[in-house]
């Protein structure tokens, strides 16, 4: 078991890379759209589009979404290698969940904050940027770190489209050496350590960096 | 794309996909029932057990939540024969998903029981009930109402996770759709139907979960 550890490290790197890149891209797209979604009027057609997108992402398994992109990209004339198909698929998936994170965080701030700052003479733009968002962003941190562990776990599914991440790398070794259970145990340890450190780091950010006296109970967004 | 969708073909494969959807539903419902049974029992131990028992169950929950479902499915698939348990694909799939589901169910039950507040358990204990009686006669019946919405949510997650069983060749929806793609080399038609079938099943459950949530809040 010890001797194969170095051979798993490149796979582990790909797993971290793919999840981190997807999280960053999806945060740019998803949180932004989620904040917009929270501020648009109920009749706005943009709401319909975003809601349909979120429904699709939450209503289908990740493996199906990965297959759809993997098979659809060539039909549309796009030649991408699996690595990038994987990143696009995870980004597409995660952005859907992050729209909900952004929307929920903004809506949890409460209309009173909005009304109060408007009546103090702040413009709509100032209210959003100076009053609502600074508070909302803090509430996004916990669900976002949760999303990071979801992404790490989802990245294992990219093995089915031959992305050489941790699970695929371990599979390749075990089908050559027939040591299935040993390699699966190793993988489990790798993933556990990775995900536990992400969530410990998240808790540290929550408790020491962002502790603004808002009250611990109030902070548990999940 | 200039060529339209081959609707004739879509109709032709529909019965096959519907049968596969039924398999997906069967697996998922069985999984949720089994994980409720084991999850309920283990969460009782998680709440009332000694220090060692609690630590073991805590470790198990961390494992199921921290390791990708795909890896856990593979572990069950390769580990069961080592213990001389030989099951067909269907039941291997149910066991694997139940293994994952139990971890999540323990957390759901524990969280809901703890959310009831200490007054309930203090009062029951003061009236002379044993800890186990308190849990099963006082706390769990009250928690049950609140457990229902997150449990429907869990069923949604299990249905989505069951798609991963395609890698251990369980004949559920994703696997059958995949086979159709490789037999007929028709991609988009199959993918559209596959997506819609999942959306219908999962969508109606998400609606049910929201309805239950509104009802239990009232």
């Amino acid at each position: 078991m010890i001797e194969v550890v170095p051979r798993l490290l490149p796979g582990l790197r790909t797993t971290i890379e793919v999840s981190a890149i997807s999280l960053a891209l999806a945060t740019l797209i998803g949180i932004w759209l989620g904040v917009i979604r929270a501020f648009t009027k109920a009749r706005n057609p943009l709401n319909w589009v975003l809601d349909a997108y979120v429904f699709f992402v939450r209503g289908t398994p990740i493996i199906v979404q990965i297959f759809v992109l993997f098979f659809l990209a060539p039909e549309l004339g796009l030649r991408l290698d699996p690595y990038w198909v994987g990143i696009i698929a995870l980004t597409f998936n995660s952005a859907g969940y992050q729209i909900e994170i952004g929307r929920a965080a903004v809506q949890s701030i409460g209309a009173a904050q909005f009304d109060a700052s408007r009546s103090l003479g702040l413009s709509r733009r100032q209210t959003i940027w100076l009053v609502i968002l600074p508070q909302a962003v803090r509430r996004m941190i916990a669900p976002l770190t949760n999303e990071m562990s979801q992404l790490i776990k989802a990245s294992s599914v990219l093995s089915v489209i031959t992305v050489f991440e941790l699970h695929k790398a371990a599979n390749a070794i075990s089908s050559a050496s027939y040591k299935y259970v040993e390699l699966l145990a190793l993988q489990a340890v790798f993933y556990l350590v990775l995900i536990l450190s992400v969530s410990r780091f998240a808790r540290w950010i929550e408790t020491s960096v962002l502790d603004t006296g808002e009250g611990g109970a109030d902070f548990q967004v999940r | 794309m200039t060529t339209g969708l081959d609707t004739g073909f879509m109709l032709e494969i529909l019965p096959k996909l519907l049968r596969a959807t039924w398999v997906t539903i069967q697996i998922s419902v069985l999984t949720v029932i089994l994980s409720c049974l084991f999850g309920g029992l283990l969460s009782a131990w998680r709440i009332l057990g000694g220090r060692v028992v609690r630590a073991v169950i805590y470790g198990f929950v961390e494992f199921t939540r921290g390791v990708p479902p795909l890896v856990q499915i593979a572990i069950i698939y390769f580990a069961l024969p080592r213990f001389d348990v030989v099951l067909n694909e269907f039941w291997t799939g149910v066991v694997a998903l139940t293994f994952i589901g139990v971890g999540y169910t323990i957390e759901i039950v524990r969280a809901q029981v703890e959310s009831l507040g200490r007054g309930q358990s203090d009062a029951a204990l003061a009236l002379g009930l044993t800890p186990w009686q308190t849990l099963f006669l006082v706390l769990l019946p009250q928690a049950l109402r609140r457990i229902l919405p997150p449990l429907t949510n869990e069923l949604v997650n299990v249905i989505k996770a069951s798609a991963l069983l395609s890698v251990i060749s369980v004949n559920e929806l994703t696997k059958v759709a995949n086979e159709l793609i490789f037999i007929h080399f028709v991609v988009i038609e199959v993918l559209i139907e596959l997506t819609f079938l999942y959306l219908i099943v999962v969508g109606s459950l998400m609606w049910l979960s929201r309805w239950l949530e509104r009802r239990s809040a009232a």
Side-chain angles (χ1 to χ4, degrees), chain A residues 5-166:
Chain A
V5 168
R7 291 170 62 192
L8 285 178
L9 291 180
L12 181 67
R13 223 191 86 179
T14 309
T15 290
I16 296 173
E17 254 174 41
V18 168
S19 332
I21 296 176
S22 312
L23 184 80
L25 290 176
T27 304
L28 284 177
I29 303 165
I31 295 294
W32 182 66
L33 287 175
V35 172
I36 290 177
R37 169 73 183 77
F39 285 115
T40 42
K41 302 244 160 34
R43 292 293 184 101
N44 197 319
L46 182 68
N47 281 359
W48 287 77
V49 178
L50 289 180
D51 287 355
Y53 172 51
V54 170
F55 179 64
F56 173 76
V57 167
R58 304 215 301 180
T60 51
I62 176 91
I63 192 171
V64 172
Q65 292 165 24
I66 290 171
F67 275 139
V68 167
L69 263 164
F70 184 66
F71 286 122
L72 220 58
E75 299 263 334
L76 298 173
L78 290 170
R79 298 232 165 273
L80 295 168
D81 67 50
Y83 181 84
W84 286 103
V85 174
I87 287 182
I88 294 172
L90 288 187
T91 304
F92 180 85
N93 174 271
S94 184
Y97 284 94
Q98 293 194 31
I99 288 177
E100 283 297 284
I101 294 175
R103 185 190 58 78
V106 169
Q107 286 177 348
S108 76
I109 298 301
Q113 293 277 335
F114 194 88
D115 295 341
S117 53
R118 284 313 298 277
S119 60
L120 284 171
L122 273 73
S123 72
R124 189 177 147 86
R125 178 181 295 255
Q126 282 175 322
T127 304
I128 293 173
W129 281 99
L130 302 176
V131 178
I132 307 289
L133 282 185
Q135 300 182 68
V137 164
R138 248 181 252 148
R139 297 191 179 179
M140 292 174 196
I141 302 295
L144 271 180
T145 46
N146 190 31
E147 185 58 25
M148 180 72 197
S149 12
Q150 297 293 348
L151 268 175
I152 293 172
K153 290 195 275 178
S155 73
S156 69
V157 183
L158 295 179
S159 57
V160 298
I161 58 165
T162 69
V163 177
F164 221 77
E165 44 68 66
L166 184 53

Side-chain angles (χ1 to χ4, degrees), chain A residues 178-195:
Chain A
Y178 298 106
K179 302 230 178 289
Y180 291 99
V181 176
E182 287 80 355
L183 275 154
L184 282 165
L186 258 183
Q187 275 175 73
V189 172
F190 275 47
Y191 277 117
L192 264 181
V193 170
L194 195 56
I195 283 172

Side-chain angles (χ1 to χ4, degrees), chain A residues 141 199-213 216 219-220:
Chain A
I141 302 295
S199 61
R200 288 287 177 284
F201 179 67
R203 202 159 305 155
W204 177 75
I205 289 185
E206 270 174 63
T207 51
S208 51
V209 182
L210 290 170
D211 189 11
T212 49
F219 221 95
Q220 296 295 322

